[in-house]
Amino acid sequence: MQPTAQERLPTQASRRWALRSIAVIMLSLLLLSAGAAWWFWRTAASPGSAPATLDTPLDVLLGQNRRAQFEAKLAQRRYGSRTWNWQDYVQWGRELVHWAQVKNPPLGPAPSVPLAETYRCIHCHNLVREDVILTQQDPEAREQMLEDNPALAGKKTGVRLMTGTTFWGMVNRERFYNGYYARYHRLKVRDGGQFRPMNPESLADAVQVCCSYCSAGRFPEDWELDSILAYLWTLELRLRDLDLPPPTQLRLLEQLNSSHPDTVAAARQELRKHYLLASAAHAVEPPLRSDDAKDIYPPSVAELERLFPPRSDSSDPPTSKPASKPRPPASLHTNLIHTGDPKRGEWLYKSACAMCHGNEVHPKSGRALAISPGTFHRYVWKGTQRDGLYMPFFTRERLSPRQATDIRAYLRSLPANQTD
Ligand code: HEC
Ligand code: HEC
């Protein structure tokens, strides 16, 4: 028997009703889970916008978010009457660090005017990790690391024994120009149209100091400074970089993701112990007496400012207190009785000296550098400046007396007419 229209209607209505309630239940479930996810995200991710993982930057884990703030500021800035992307700044920064100039700058002539005539940041700074243990800056451990992993030194911008500290993790440091270089804190930096002493806690100030004084160049323009800083942010540290044992990593992640402020604060305190908040720089006294080396770098602050005068009509004169002589740690002199290993010296020379010798920085290389031991060591530990460019000196964190002796032994082993 065929059902009548009246009989069919209620069945269709109830079916529709059932479908509608299923849809309502599903929708509420969806909303509920979205709400739960949101709640979880808000409470669990106290250090940032997402739960912490091994790849979370330390800047975020520490609740500082300085990179995000800087990115937001850059997004507002106008150069050449328009705003630019973060990636534009990073690219310009990369070019400035490698070549001191930018092919297509946001304003001014293209290519841009070089920051310095001869020196590039990469003559004195690595761009990658240079220490096996992040809290130990030891040039011999660095040498060992490179011996164990030759690929690390192999690339064009691989690890070298540089006179300056690495750019890797630079943005995570909290104090710049330390140890012997603390005297640089009296140097002037540009601030708008004025000059003022550098703030040792400002990376931007440290970059200004190194562009003008260390690189024997000029102060960066605002867009250049912004670009270098943006590039340095690409080299920031992440939790993974601290090489903590897996159980510690897990525990820290749990603490950092907790909703208790005290637990998060304790984890942050602990994080800060596993990397350098400041890069050390201890001067080494030349081990041998010598009377023939005359112009010794680094010059006093007054001399530096005379050589690279800040350009402004500010009436504030540069400070010129004589720098006090640093005392080297006594332990350094114990390993100086070392005749030198030319085989090790060859590799060390290529790593520590060759980027500046036998090229546009300084024409002399090889045997020509094997001058008397007194003068040689004096140049290495105090640097030198005669007429042209200066040679930066190596601190205890950058080269060991044993390594310098090996280099000299290698240079002396070369035939007199050989240059490298
Ligand atoms: C001729 C060598 C030389 C050149 C070129 C050079 N630097 Fe430096 N830089 C140094 C030395 C030496 C220090 C002192 C402290 C240290 O690194 O151990 C230093 C320190 C710094 C610091 C502070 C680091 C810290 O943690 O204390 C910054 C930032 C810096 N340089 C940036 C730059 C930038 C950017 C450039 C390129 C525009 C540059 N440097 C070029 C030698 C150089
Ligand atoms: C960042 C660049 C740089 C690095 C790295 C560097 N030098 Fe120099 N060196 C120079 C410059 C520039 C001069 C010339 C300075 C002057 O005007 O007196 C120089 C001069 C010298 C001189 C004096 C040469 C002469 O005219 O008689 C010696 C010796 C020397 N360097 C040895 C070394 C050794 C050894 C190393 C590695 C351990 C080294 N240098 C690393 C830049 C550098």
Side-chain angles (χ1 to χ4, degrees):
M1 187 182 95
Q2 288 284 312
T4 65
Q6 277 95 336
E7 280 171 329
R8 240 182 284 144
L9 264 174
T11 351
Q12 276 187 346
S14 60
R15 215 181 280 148
R16 227 178 277 142
W17 182 85
L19 276 172
R20 216 175 284 154
S21 18
I22 289 172
V24 165
I25 291 170
M26 297 246 302
L27 202 75
S28 355
L29 272 174
L30 209 80
L31 280 172
L32 245 156
S33 51
W38 180 84
W39 177 84
F40 190 77
W41 176 73
R42 294 295 301 169
T43 49
S46 40
S49 54
T53 70
L54 285 181
D55 285 317
T56 310
L58 292 188
D59 169 56
V60 173
L61 294 179
L62 294 176
Q64 295 172 330
N65 298 309
R66 290 173 303 141
R67 176 187 174 139
Q69 287 159 23
F70 181 55
E71 270 197 63
K73 227 189 274 169
L74 276 198
Q76 302 292 318
R77 266 187 210 157
R78 302 179 78 83
Y79 290 119
S81 67
R82 56 160 286 198
T83 56
W84 301 85
N85 294 329
W86 174 257
Q87 281 312 325
D88 294 321
Y89 286 101
V90 169
Q91 175 59 24
W92 298 327
R94 184 179 292 116
E95 290 178 38
L96 287 167
V97 162
H98 284 88
W99 303 294
Q101 63 184 155
V102 168
K103 215 168 138 204
N104 296 306
L107 71 168
S112 63
V113 179
L115 279 171
E117 210 173 296
T118 309
Y119 274 142
R120 309 287 171 252
C121 311
I122 53 169
H123 279 128
C124 303
H125 294 280
N126 285 312
L127 305 180
V128 288
R129 179 175 182 155
E130 62 186 14
D131 289 305
V132 188
I133 301 172
L134 284 191
T135 46
Q136 287 175 23
Q137 298 177 287
D138 175 356
E140 300 208 354
R142 217 166 282 151
E143 179 186 351
Q144 188 63 50
M145 172 182 86
L146 294 171
E147 205 170 85
D148 296 343
N149 310 281
L152 288 179
K155 284 172 269 154
K156 201 160 175 253
T157 48
V159 183
R160 306 220 153 69
L161 299 179
M162 296 284 197
T163 47
T165 179
T166 181
F167 281 177
W168 188 78
M170 187 83 100
V171 290
N172 299 100
R173 299 183 199 148
E174 299 177 6
R175 208 175 164 80
F176 305 94
Y177 287 106
N178 306 297
Y180 183 86
Y181 288 101
R183 64 192 63 198
Y184 280 30
H185 297 162
R186 298 199 301 268
L187 285 169
K188 291 280 158 69
V189 295
R190 203 158 67 170
D191 193 347
Q194 297 284 323
F195 284 91
R196 55 161 173 82
M198 83 164 282
N199 169 5
E201 286 166 18
S202 159
L203 175 58
D205 282 10
V207 168
Q208 282 209 48
V209 164
C210 227
C211 283
S212 48
Y213 304 100
C214 315
S215 307
R218 60 171 169 86
F219 284 107
E221 299 294 328
D222 291 345
W223 70 269
E224 291 174 316
L225 184 55
D226 283 341
S227 304
I228 293 175
L229 291 171
Y231 173 68
L232 290 176
W233 271 111
T234 66
L235 309 176
E236 68 180 318
L237 300 183
R238 289 159 199 279
L239 181 54
R240 186 185 297 289
D241 297 320
L242 303 188
D243 306 319
L244 301 168
T248 312
Q249 286 177 340
L250 277 178
R251 175 177 55 74
L252 277 171
L253 280 177
E254 218 163 88
Q255 284 176 260
L256 289 164
N257 286 328
S258 120
S259 52
H260 302 289
D262 292 350
T263 312
V264 175
R268 287 176 175 167
Q269 275 309 101
E270 190 176 334
L271 277 183
R272 283 156 51 87
K273 294 198 183 109
H274 295 287
Y275 65 97
L276 286 179
L277 302 177
S279 176
H282 294 94
V284 175
E285 277 291 282
L288 299 164
R289 273 168 49 81
S290 116
D291 301 319
D292 52 350
K294 286 195 184 71
D295 301 301
I296 294 305
Y297 187 83
S300 67
V301 167
E303 212 175 323
L304 261 178
E305 292 202 326
R306 186 183 58 74
L307 287 163
F308 311 114
R311 283 170 305 176
S312 104
D313 33 36
S314 149
S315 53
D316 200 5
T319 36
S320 58
K321 260 202 230 146
S324 63
K325 216 166 177 228
R327 210 172 310 142
S331 62
L332 274 173
H333 292 276
T334 54
N335 55 356
L336 291 178
I337 308 156
H338 177 79
T339 46
D341 173 352
K343 238 181 106 50
R344 273 183 173 273
E346 176 172 8
W347 181 87
L348 286 163
Y349 172 79
K350 291 198 170 118
S351 183
C353 322
M355 65 277 208
C356 291
H357 283 284
N359 56 31
E360 71 286 354
V361 177
H362 195 67
K364 276 195 195 173
S365 65
R367 174 76 197 216
L369 299 175
I371 45 179
S372 82
T375 317
F376 180 86
H377 281 279
R378 212 152 160 172
Y379 284 6
V380 171
W381 306 123
K382 291 210 155 188
T384 163
Q385 174 163 42
R386 218 164 305 143
D387 29 41
L389 216 52
Y390 80 94
M391 166 169 153
F393 69 108
F394 286 83
T395 60
R396 187 175 88 191
E397 284 77 14
R398 323 293 343 158
L399 199 73
S400 75
R402 193 272 294 159
Q403 289 172 323
T405 311
D406 286 349
I407 291 174
R408 187 165 180 279
Y410 160 66
L411 296 173
R412 281 178 58 77
S413 75
L414 297 170
N417 61 350
Q418 189 170 332
T419 51
D420 54 26

